[in-house]
Amino acid sequence: MANYIFGKVKRKQKMFRVIETETEVYNTAELILNGIDYNPATLIENEEIYQLTNFSESGYCLDFLTNELNTVEHDQILKSDLKKLSFICTVQDNLYFFQIINSSFFISKKWFSIEELTLETEKPIITINPFADAIYNKLNDTLYFKKLTAAQKIFKGMDQLYKEATEVETQTFLESDFLEVSQDYGAIQVTVPNRKRIALVNETLNKLSDDEKIAIYDYTNAYGHVTYENGKFKIENDDDLKFVLWGIEQRFYTTQVGGEKRVANSIISI
């Protein structure tokens, strides 16, 4: 069965045909796509991947994925455009493998073929990674990826899945009635990690009733990292804010054996 490599050229909207080959580019027999639903609060291990289900309905999906694949409708890429590739997509059956292309993937050095033992000097090559930056399975309409920063270079707008609070949103949060913020600490001092946490926490707080919010504040106070008086956490620096944000995300827990207090670095709902 034929496999195809398509390419997206910078400043051009459509996808171009690059190669048609009977050779399998990716070893799908050993490919295991068992992803974890993407959540900014979830950190994955090296062997794990994120997933976005119902991807065609997400608003980030490319027409190239939703349309029926017809290679005749795609023009053959010009050699002059090969160095302008922003990403390539290898299609094998119902799997679409995306790889970002940058200067590190172009090799223009002198090289010789082990098979033919001939020296090549003017035949630059593009290398293909063993694992793609993103994989789309058309059968179950799911996108798989390891790094959002890479996937969003292909699927524009995906960075909104891990947005950080703006300075206005940050300042508004610091003015919350459950915080007492030092005059020496303001929105400009809030670091990027905490801005990202604020964006998540705002969504969490909007879903809570007043009684649930009080329960969350009491839970956070029980771990005692930040002074809590008269219904307000005293925020004097970025660490104080971080611990309160962790509390609202309910990241604190106590071990069943030993009673050790800990904070979860990553969260997966079960």
Side-chain angles (χ1 to χ4, degrees):
M1 180 178 293
N3 302 308
Y4 302 92
I5 297 180
F6 295 87
K8 170 67 173 61
V9 177
K10 296 174 183 176
R11 292 185 291 277
K12 294 185 179 181
Q13 296 304 313
K14 60 184 180 179
M15 298 285 285
F16 292 88
R17 289 197 320 272
V18 179
I19 296 174
E20 177 181 346
T21 176
E22 296 295 325
T23 303
E24 189 177 58
V25 182
Y26 292 94
N27 185 354
T28 56
E30 297 181 1
L31 181 66
I32 299 176
L33 295 177
N34 185 16
I36 296 172
D37 289 337
Y38 180 76
N39 185 320
T42 301
L43 302 179
I44 59 174
E45 302 294 337
N46 288 336
E47 67 277 7
E48 294 176 325
I49 53 176
Y50 291 117
Q51 67 179 21
L52 282 181
T53 56
N54 301 316
F55 185 64
S56 63
E57 303 172 10
S58 67
Y60 316 123
C61 192
L62 303 175
D63 291 340
F64 177 69
L65 297 181
T66 56
N67 294 338
E68 194 68 30
L69 183 62
N70 186 346
T71 59
V72 177
E73 295 179 354
H74 296 271
D75 295 333
Q76 179 65 37
I77 193 169
L78 302 174
K79 284 190 176 182
S80 59
D81 280 339
L82 285 171
K83 288 190 176 182
K84 302 175 186 177
L85 286 169
S86 56
F87 64 81
I88 57 175
C89 176
T90 301
V91 182
Q92 294 181 203
D93 294 328
N94 290 292
L95 294 175
Y96 293 66
F97 299 82
F98 289 88
Q99 177 181 308
I100 297 167
I101 299 295
N102 54 48
S103 58
S104 65
F105 292 101
F106 291 95
I107 298 178
S108 299
K109 298 178 181 179
K110 293 181 180 179
W111 57 277
F112 64 87
S113 168
I114 295 176
E115 296 292 331
E116 300 178 6
L117 295 179
T118 57
L119 185 66
E120 302 288 355
T121 58
E122 298 297 333
K123 292 186 178 180
I125 62 174
I126 297 176
T127 57
I128 297 177
N129 280 340
F131 194 90
D133 293 306
I135 303 172
Y136 177 69
N137 185 338
K138 195 159 188 172
L139 288 180
N140 63 8
D141 192 18
T142 300
L143 183 76
Y144 302 90
F145 59 95
K146 283 185 173 290
K147 296 181 179 179
L148 180 63
T149 52
Q152 66 94 17
K153 291 180 181 179
I154 301 167
F155 306 101
K156 303 302 181 184
M158 275 186 65
D159 55 329
Q160 294 301 307
L161 294 171
Y162 197 177
K163 64 179 182 178
E164 62 184 73
T166 64
E167 188 161 340
V168 172
E169 291 170 334
T170 302
Q171 184 60 44
T172 299
F173 182 81
L174 294 179
E175 295 171 358
S176 299
D177 55 11
F178 62 92
L179 299 179
E180 183 180 321
V181 182
S182 168
Q183 292 183 350
D184 297 328
Y185 181 72
I188 195 171
Q189 282 89 30
V190 177
T191 59
V192 170
N194 272 347
R195 285 177 183 264
K196 291 178 178 178
R197 294 185 184 106
I198 287 172
L200 292 174
V201 162
N202 279 334
E203 294 182 13
T204 299
L205 289 175
N206 288 336
K207 298 175 183 177
L208 299 178
S209 66
D210 289 342
D211 288 342
E212 288 172 329
K213 289 177 182 178
I214 292 173
I216 288 290
Y217 304 152
D218 289 341
Y219 155 82
T220 303
N221 181 45
Y223 283 82
H225 289 284
V226 181
T227 302
Y228 185 60
E229 294 179 352
N230 301 319
K232 293 179 180 288
F233 292 98
K234 292 189 176 181
I235 307 298
E236 296 184 354
N237 52 50
D238 213 53
D239 279 342
D240 288 344
L241 180 61
K242 177 179 66 177
F243 279 108
V244 172
L245 294 170
W246 275 346
I248 296 173
E249 293 177 341
Q250 300 182 69
R251 286 177 176 256
F252 299 124
Y253 68 99
T254 302
T255 58
Q256 188 72 26
V257 177
E260 182 181 3
K261 292 182 177 181
R262 295 179 178 176
V263 60
N265 190 42
S266 178
I267 298 172
I268 299 177
S269 298
I270 57 175

